Amino acid sequence: MLTLALPKGRLAEESIELMLERGWLSGRPDPDSKELIYKDPKGKVRILLVRSQDVATYVEQNSADAGIVGWDVLLEGGYDLLLPLDLAIGKCRLSVAGPKGWSLSSGERKVRVATKYPNIAKDFFLKKGINCEVIKLYGSIELAPLVGLSDCIVDLVSTGGTLRANNLEEIEVIMESTARLVFNRSALYTKRAEVGEFLDSFALTEKQL
């Protein structure tokens, strides 16, 4: 049996739909259940439902054989995992956003940036030649410029609705992100048959690793 870590929320729903299509699940986990571990009756897979930022850690530390995680999370964390495979779900973008009228050339000597992606944000502003102070937050990132905590934010954008609702606008896209399927190194050897079957069901081969 493979143990697969999935991020809670929309990406978990898309991932489960994909696994239903590929025959790895016989049904959906009960959406009203508070349980964080789901063992499918088929006995082929066990699902761990965790925070999106924690998926790669569960896989890297061998608590899960595989995981589905956003490319943005993988780049931010620099995890030691087998090369990710693009599943083309969970599409979004990581962008700089700020109050209407604010721009990257607004003249501040040091830009204060609120984000939960400090490494990506620092690298982006460094390449732009802009001195920045990164303020790490874990949620409600859009609030930071509204109360003067930051000049701008770096956060995931899907439709842009949350930005508009808070009088913010997208200024520049840093990167596009989709969900990736990743494995830890030990799973490729200890569960080689299961990993091979899983990859084959997604029309992938181990050579792509």
Side-chain angles (χ1 to χ4, degrees):
M1 176 183 291
L2 280 177
T3 297
L4 182 71
L6 297 182
K8 298 176 184 177
R10 182 173 63 89
L11 185 52
E13 295 173 5
E14 291 186 58
S15 301
I16 287 169
E17 185 64 34
L18 201 60
M19 294 177 69
L20 283 166
E21 293 174 0
R22 299 298 194 279
W24 279 88
L25 291 176
S26 58
R28 291 179 172 82
D30 181 359
D32 297 322
S33 174
K34 301 298 183 182
E35 294 182 353
L36 300 177
I37 298 178
Y38 173 76
K39 183 177 179 181
D40 190 72
K42 278 187 174 182
K44 298 175 67 176
V45 67
R46 182 176 66 152
I47 292 175
L48 310 181
L49 293 171
V50 303
R51 289 181 56 189
S52 61
Q53 303 292 329
D54 294 335
V55 171
T57 300
Y58 274 85
V59 179
E60 185 180 47
Q61 297 299 319
N62 297 327
S63 294
D65 303 307
I68 294 178
V69 59
W71 182 233
D72 52 292
V73 175
L74 293 173
L75 285 185
E76 174 65 26
Y79 300 95
D80 181 24
L81 297 169
L82 295 179
L83 293 177
L85 305 168
D86 194 345
L87 296 177
I89 60 174
K91 295 180 180 180
C92 56
R93 56 194 180 274
L94 188 66
S95 297
V96 179
K100 292 181 179 179
W102 189 89
S103 72
L104 292 174
S105 57
S106 291
E108 293 94 338
R109 289 196 301 174
K110 178 182 284 189
V111 175
R112 294 172 300 155
V113 186
T115 185
K116 55 185 175 183
Y117 300 94
N119 295 325
I120 294 176
K122 286 177 183 177
D123 184 63
F124 171 80
F125 282 95
L126 178 63
K127 289 178 179 177
K128 288 278 187 181
I130 298 174
N131 189 16
C132 75
E133 174 190 351
V134 172
I135 302 165
K136 187 170 183 179
L137 297 177
Y138 295 92
S140 302
I141 309 295
E142 295 83 3
L143 181 61
L146 302 182
V147 298
L149 180 61
S150 71
D151 300 304
C152 64
I153 66 174
V154 169
D155 201 16
L156 290 179
V157 178
S158 180
T159 65
T162 303
L163 293 179
R164 291 189 294 272
N166 290 283
N167 295 313
L168 302 176
E169 60 185 6
E170 194 170 5
I171 295 167
E172 186 168 337
V173 176
I174 296 177
M175 58 174 283
E176 302 287 343
S177 179
T178 52
R180 311 298 169 104
L181 173 65
V182 295
F183 290 88
N184 63 50
R185 298 184 180 279
S186 65
L188 189 61
Y189 298 98
T190 61
K191 296 186 177 181
R192 193 173 187 86
E194 293 93 334
V195 169
E197 183 183 355
F198 197 86
L199 292 172
D200 286 345
S201 69
F202 286 90
L204 303 169
T205 67
E206 291 178 30
K207 290 181 180 179
Q208 289 176 275
L209 298 176

